[in-house]
Amino acid sequence: MNRSRRARLVLALGLAALAASWPSPSAAESVRGQLTYTCDAAASGYEDQAEPYPFGVALQMDVPERVRPGDVLSLSGTLSVQFPEELRSLAADYFTYAQAVSDSVTIPVTIGGRTTVLKASHFDSGKVATKNQPLILSSVVSLAPFTVPAGADGDIVVELPANGTVPSNIDDSTVAFTALALLSGGVVATFYSEYTYKAACRAPDGAQRTVAKIPVARPDAPSSEQGGSGGPAAPSGPADPATPAQQRSDSGASTGDPAAAPATDTPLAAAAMGPGEGPAAGVAGDPTTAPVAVEDGIRVPEWAVLLAATGVVLAAVLLAGWSHHRVRVLRATLEG
Amino acid sequence: VTTPVGLWLAGSQLRTSARRSRGLVLAVALGAALVVATTVLGSTMQRVVDGGAGVEYANVDLVVRSEQGVDPRVDGGRNTGTSISAADVRRISRLPGVDAASSIVRAQAALVAGDRVRGVLLETLPSDEFVWQHVADGRFPTSGDEVALSRETLDDLGLDVGDRVALGLPEVGREVFTVVGAVDVRGSLRYGAMTYGVVTVPVAQALAAVEGANEVQLRLVPGADPHRVVDDINAAVPVGWPQLTEEVVAATDQLFGTGLGVLSGLLSGFALVAAVIAAVVLSTVVSASLPGRRRDLALLRALGATRGQLRSMVALETGLLALVGGLAAVPLGVGVAAASLPLLGHLPGVPTISRDLLHVPVPVLVAVPVAALAVGVLAAVVPAWRVGRVSPASALRGDGAPPRGRGWTRGLPALTVTSSLAALVVATRAGSPALLAVAGLVLAVAWIAATPSICRVLARATVAVVRRRHPVAELAAAQLLRFPGRAASTGLAATLAATVLGLSWVTLASLSSTTEERSGVEVGPEVMVGAYAGGAALAPGTVDRLAEVDGVSDVLAVDSTVAMLTGPPTEGAGTTRVSGNVTGARAADLARLTDGRFPLQELRAGTAYLPASDLPPFATGSTVTLRGPDGRKRLRAVYVDDLPFQALVAPRALAAVGATGTAYAAWLDLEPGADRAAVLDGVRAVAITAGGQPVSGSAPAQARVDGAIGLARGLATGMLALSVLIAVVGAALTVATTVRERSAELATLRMLGMDGAGVRRLVGVETWAAGALSTLLGLVLGSVLGWAVTVTAADVLGISARVSVPYVPLLVLGLAQLVVLRVAVTGPLDRVSLISPADSLREAAVAGGTR
């Protein structure tokens, strides 16, 4: 390889590294906002004995990087609710499944300083095993599509449910949202096929509820590749919740019975290699400081990548210029 | 002046009736020892709960856990836990108020040791300052083929350090690990109650399907507001679910505290019954001894003793007996508690407690003898009152016959019992537990008060039946007819014991019958493996392995798919969207697995069946749209009561939109007559190896109810056996006392030609009759109260009751009590038969002498 080709290669690699480190303007961003709500919870019929419990609430959604006025925005995501441990452990002792349903979830959306509370779709987690710890009840929720107003500017702010939005199902107050927890299966189900708990939830005063801020671009600016629509947050797989799960269900599956499965070529086999038998061998201890975790968890800051890429480009340019100078000097020497 | 004289007189009486005194001390000691034992056990269990609820979080103020459930849209429901990266941990550790942070990886897996399978929780160790586990033997694992298991797990599986076990999950395979250590969980309630082990980071990460950690443990700086830190984590590093450890500890405390509290309450309740019976024995035996001491008491009165001094004498006599019994009960009770402490660990839900943890609450133990003394004095109220009524002149004349009731009072007991029964029925219909308690107590008192009358009626009938054909029986019946109160007091304690026995058995049998009846009408399957949402799909091959379990007659894979339904809301305009698992199944299959109990006989292709709910998403009968990968289908929304699925459609409807289901759950039908416990063990083993799938349904619920009822019945019978023993001691003492009172009568019979065996037979028949009557009346009263308790409890729960009386067990228990009672009085009867007529007459003449 002559010096000229090497210089071009170095330059190309530097530019590629720079490009790779620069965020794509069209990429959708997965965002998550979460907050611990205080929910008054009581068994149905015993609302006067309601007690406050901390319920974690998280909303994860994919949002477009930016939108333009006139774009139609369809927001949807996964809303998750964490059962407080005190209720979960009791529920697990007497019931097999828990299900959360709500038709009062609302999502405040602020455009140009004006907030509109949009009603989310019906929340229904389905029957989830109460032995899960933590017990998270999730459902895909979506908002009715809306058009970004013509004169909008600034950011579109999407938030978690705000206080004073819906009437409480416990008392006469207004709260952020309400829900029913339906407990079934297990011993108590012999007497009650389904035991209903009511919950009325409030956000802490002054709490940060922001889930996403979507910049509104000028009308002449290029639009986001997604055309101004968001989808449910999913680390992998299509956004459409109607996509059948079984299409992906068998990927990565190995044998059925672990007691009968062959002990080769499995993730556990790799992890279970003895000392010196493979790179996965580690020690019991903090996984974030253990050797294996460190190998797997190196994170380079973005500024360092940018600095390195810029340095590579500059070095390539300097190398090219120096090479060109050497060529000119050599040609001049040969030509006398 | 009264008390010292009374004390001297009481001491004199106790010395002259040493045998009776020893018997009464024994009865009181047994009853009080049970109270001491249950108090010590309750205190020890409470300390174990208090100390073991938060062992694992001793240095932790806050935890952040990532979700280990499964988003079914991702990876088809595989075990894809979310991960907390090292960078996230660092960011959390830098938040204001955080002093130190450490992370661990937690994973569920199947543990196979020989032919035993357990679901095991595996963890990595946190950093040194957060490590709470100790090593009891060996060491913690350092390489990827090693595991350390908790001591409880090793004991459960019969393993030791150096043995090999297999760990695995369907999606990650199975490997053999060497047990290199025994983990000491230091009394942790949660970890002591589960199968637990420590592995290396890569192993845990592979099993949990995470790349980083899934729990971060935080220690806060002193004075930091943990709620503020939670808010900061939510706002700045929303990667997991922050939770205060005090909430987790409180949950553990509540969970185990409730269970142990119920157990402790149950034991204390039965101990209290035993103590009450001991007090009744004390009172009845002292009362029974009074007629034989009338001459002594009359002489004391003639010598100048006041009524108060005589009353003090009796009160102090019983008080001293109770005090000595109470003092003896303390070491006896502590010994019983120490002996039974390890046995408690065999009860389901009760942690193993070593004798080292035995806690003796000193204030309570001091209070027991004092309380015994008080109860003893209280038990003397009736005898002392009767002593005060002794007329010296009539006593010295020998007018010992008790006053007969007036004619109009003869029918009073029957009237009282009838009225009390009516009140009990009314209280039961009212469904008020408080009213029931009062009515039940009134009925019990009226019932016991009516025992002499019942005895008299039965004796009169017996006399009429056996007249001149069975002289001994006729004589015995005549005695009962003449002294029905004596027979009643002989069996009073036995009546109480039989009452509580009958109440316990009828209530528990009725509870079992009621739950069984309700299980029989549940629309779901006998057994279900898996969950419809929030969990992994069944591993391939699971359904086949379930079908191979002995006792499983049929298995149905319940296929579901994640889909969206849209349609008009119940109120207002617009569109409602519901995303969740839509199940596709054939009605015939669902009906077959539920023996026809499933609420739908057919599924129409154009209908979406939804569970009836307080929050229905769509208007009833409206048209909804099912969206699938290959299209949409319009369906009519129909709501069905008790539908177990989120949404149910015919398989054709799913096929029409290009969706095919995944088996998230399987329904099982069991063979009739199969051993439910054995079948469930087999099913659970498959469920564990299939990824820790939950097992539910009517059969597991019924098995758990049966287990709890069996445990309660065993405890009740065991504890009440001691009550029966105390009652028997009391009956034997009463018989012995009354026999001496009848010395003249028995001597007369001997002089009239009855031999010793005849006298023995006569008193024996009387004892049989009194014992049988007491036991029978107690069981009947207990059964009536059990019926009332069952009906009221069902009324409170809003269900229909099915009262069941276990006749055979009650009959066996009653006969056992009767036989023990008869055996216990053998000694007094033998003495009666051996004593010569001359001795009897001399004893009668000097009645009030040495007893």
Side-chain angles (χ1 to χ4, degrees), chain B residues 459-727:
Chain B
R460 185 172 291 127
T462 306
V463 168
V465 170
V466 302
R467 186 181 294 275
R468 294 176 185 170
R469 280 178 293 178
H470 302 285
V472 172
E474 188 179 356
L475 274 172
Q479 279 294 326
L480 293 175
L481 183 60
R482 190 179 173 205
F483 301 106
R486 191 167 65 197
S489 64
T490 300
L492 178 57
T495 302
L496 286 177
T499 300
V500 182
L501 209 58
L503 170 64
S504 307
W505 274 76
V506 170
T507 305
L508 292 171
S510 301
L511 179 62
S512 180
S513 299
T514 303
T515 54
E516 197 171 345
E517 188 177 62
R518 294 188 64 80
S519 297
V521 296
E522 279 188 25
V523 298
E526 280 191 278
V527 182
M528 175 175 138
V529 175
Y532 299 122
L538 297 181
T542 301
V543 172
D544 294 337
R545 289 200 302 281
L546 287 170
E548 292 167 3
V549 174
D550 287 341
V552 173
S553 61
D554 201 354
V555 182
L556 173 67
V558 180
D559 292 336
S560 302
T561 187
V562 179
M564 181 176 280
L565 287 166
T566 59
T570 51
E571 292 178 1
T575 302
T576 293
R577 295 167 297 280
V578 179
S579 180
N581 273 347
V582 177
T583 300
R586 294 175 60 240
D589 291 338
L590 299 172
R592 191 183 78 244
L593 266 292
T594 56
D595 295 330
R597 297 188 303 272
F598 195 73
L600 296 168
Q601 300 306 313
E602 66 167 326
L603 298 181
R604 295 177 182 168
T607 302
Y609 300 93
L610 304 166
S613 159
D614 291 339
L615 287 178
F618 308 112
T620 305
S622 61
T623 300
V624 299
T625 302
L626 173 67
R627 292 177 57 192
D630 293 342
R632 304 178 177 190
K633 183 171 177 59
R634 292 165 72 81
L635 305 166
R636 197 168 73 90
V638 172
Y639 291 95
V640 181
D641 285 332
D642 297 327
L643 187 71
F645 309 110
Q646 206 170 353
L648 174 66
V649 297
R652 281 177 293 168
L654 279 185
V657 298
T660 54
T662 299
Y664 285 91
W667 284 17
L668 279 66
D669 194 26
L670 308 187
E671 290 174 358
D675 180 353
R676 293 294 192 262
V679 178
L680 287 174
D681 282 346
V683 169
R684 287 195 181 99
V686 174
I688 289 168
T689 56
Q693 297 285 0
V695 177
S696 61
S698 59
Q702 185 63 40
R704 192 174 169 193
V705 170
D706 287 345
I709 288 174
L711 172 65
R713 193 158 42 207
L715 285 175
T717 307
M719 298 284 283
L720 290 175
L722 197 58
S723 300
V724 169
L725 181 64
I726 296 169

Side-chain angles (χ1 to χ4, degrees), chain A residues 51-70:
Chain A
E51 289 187 28
Y53 294 93
F55 279 72
V57 175
L59 177 58
Q60 187 157 3
M61 49 182 18
D62 286 348
V63 295
E65 186 203 358
R66 60 181 177 272
V67 294
R68 292 183 309 177

